[in-house]
Amino acid sequence: MSLNRSKLLCYATLPDAYSFRERIAAAAQSGFEELSFWLMSIDEARQELGSLEAVRQVLDDHGVRASSLEFLTAWTQAEGEGHREELDVMLAAAEVFEPDIVMCGCMDTEWADRGVAIGRLREQCDLAASYPFSFALEFLPWTAIPDLPSATAVIEEVGATNLGYVLDTWHFAKSGADYKALAAIDGSRLHLIQTSDLRADADPDTLKETLAARVAPGEGVLDWRRLRAILADIDADCPLGSEQFSDKIKAMPLQDASDYLYETTQRALTTS
């Protein structure tokens, strides 16, 4: 296992009441070298600074890069051309930010038309085959792709070499922590690990909990020793970063929050 790129942060987890430049400066000061951005966050920064190129310049000024962009979801729609428009927006951002990973997933609780969705995801992988990034599929427990076996089924059916996995450890825990399913995947197809933990007394409202009450690695239900052993066994070699959504963190002063997220990301590599 080589998870050396552990200095990665999901930008959206930082406190909101600050400018883009302030948040990037805080992340860089904490030690983060890479960030993951939602497209909506990129667009908010574009509106604040005037252009995508100006957003990229702020990142460059602080020595950090947007190594991951997310989140393509329109491919699951049964009708319309929204998936093509969404991909065009993503590819325009990818031209500027040069990410390693573009994330995709399903936000619907049920498939509108699974066959159509699989075909559209395959089409997107084909259209982006010339780009230097890989697609990574994230499973979300409240959706039609609720767990790791479901994600594996989609990836195998799509059959694209540039499509792999995101392992969000909170979603992994919430979906039942299927360690056997994790041990069965090809580690070279694991493109990103997002770390946080699920509280033992988690709110049954999954959406509320995932966006507001995640805890740091080692403070929840996951068996981190077992998780790391499996990642070593499958030769996982991908970036590992923090995605710890928490109202507690959002309420902290910006630099304190960024420092805390950095420290707890490192904990994911060592906690027992």
Side-chain angles (χ1 to χ4, degrees):
M1 178 178 68
S2 176
L3 300 175
N4 295 323
R5 287 173 55 200
S6 59
K7 299 180 179 181
L8 188 151
L9 171 69
C10 176
Y11 172 83
T13 61
L14 291 169
D16 300 316
Y18 298 88
S19 70
F20 180 78
R21 190 180 300 275
E22 287 171 326
R23 282 180 273 186
I24 297 305
Q29 183 172 321
S30 296
F32 288 109
E33 298 173 352
E34 303 180 33
L35 288 103
S36 175
F37 287 99
W38 294 348
L39 278 180
M40 63 177 3
S41 297
I42 289 288
D43 191 55
E44 289 170 358
R46 179 193 60 78
Q47 293 179 50
E48 179 182 331
L49 297 171
S51 69
L52 291 180
E53 289 74 18
V55 176
R56 169 66 188 266
Q57 188 60 55
V58 171
L59 299 179
D60 291 347
D61 289 346
H62 290 88
V64 297
R65 52 187 299 264
S67 61
S68 176
L69 299 179
E70 51 183 304
F71 199 59
L72 294 174
T73 62
W75 57 277
T76 64
Q77 297 172 1
E79 299 178 355
E81 298 298 316
H83 65 294
R84 293 180 183 272
E85 296 169 4
E86 186 181 55
L87 181 63
D88 287 344
V89 171
M90 181 65 81
L91 293 180
E95 291 276 4
V96 174
F97 296 103
E98 303 174 289
D100 302 316
I101 300 159
V102 167
M103 293 169 55
C104 55
C106 174
M107 296 299 291
D108 304 316
T109 56
E110 297 180 356
W111 292 106
D113 187 319
R114 192 177 189 280
V116 169
I118 295 295
R120 286 179 169 177
L121 184 53
R122 184 183 300 119
E123 175 190 345
Q124 289 192 160
C125 291
D126 289 345
L127 288 171
S130 62
Y131 284 77
F133 63 76
S134 297
F135 284 110
L137 180 67
E138 182 174 12
F139 60 89
L140 305 169
W142 61 91
T143 72
I145 310 176
D147 50 30
L148 185 55
S150 300
T152 295
V154 170
I155 289 169
E156 291 180 347
E157 192 167 346
V158 170
T161 58
N162 59 340
L163 176 63
Y165 298 88
V166 176
L167 178 66
D168 181 309
T169 59
W170 193 96
H171 298 318
F172 180 68
K174 185 67 175 179
S175 65
D178 192 335
Y179 296 101
K180 290 184 178 179
L182 181 61
I185 72 171
D186 178 350
S188 68
R189 303 292 291 276
L190 181 55
H191 296 325
L192 176 63
I193 300 170
Q194 298 173 319
T195 62
S196 62
D197 212 333
L198 173 72
R199 298 185 308 164
D201 62 343
D203 192 312
D205 185 337
T206 300
L207 274 175
K208 178 181 177 181
E209 184 78 10
T210 193
L211 292 174
R214 302 190 191 195
V215 293
E219 295 181 1
V221 302
L222 272 175
D223 184 342
W224 288 87
R225 187 186 300 274
R226 184 178 184 185
L227 183 63
R228 286 197 305 273
I230 291 171
L231 293 173
D233 287 343
I234 65 174
D235 294 323
D237 183 9
C238 66
L240 177 150
S242 175
E243 187 170 282
Q244 193 180 150
F245 289 104
S246 165
D247 285 347
K248 173 184 173 182
I249 295 171
K250 289 284 190 180
M252 291 180 180
L254 176 59
Q255 195 61 59
D256 290 349
S258 184
D259 290 346
Y260 175 80
L261 289 166
Y262 184 85
E263 291 163 4
T264 55
T265 303
Q266 307 314 303
R267 191 187 305 171
L269 299 174
T270 58
T271 190
S272 61

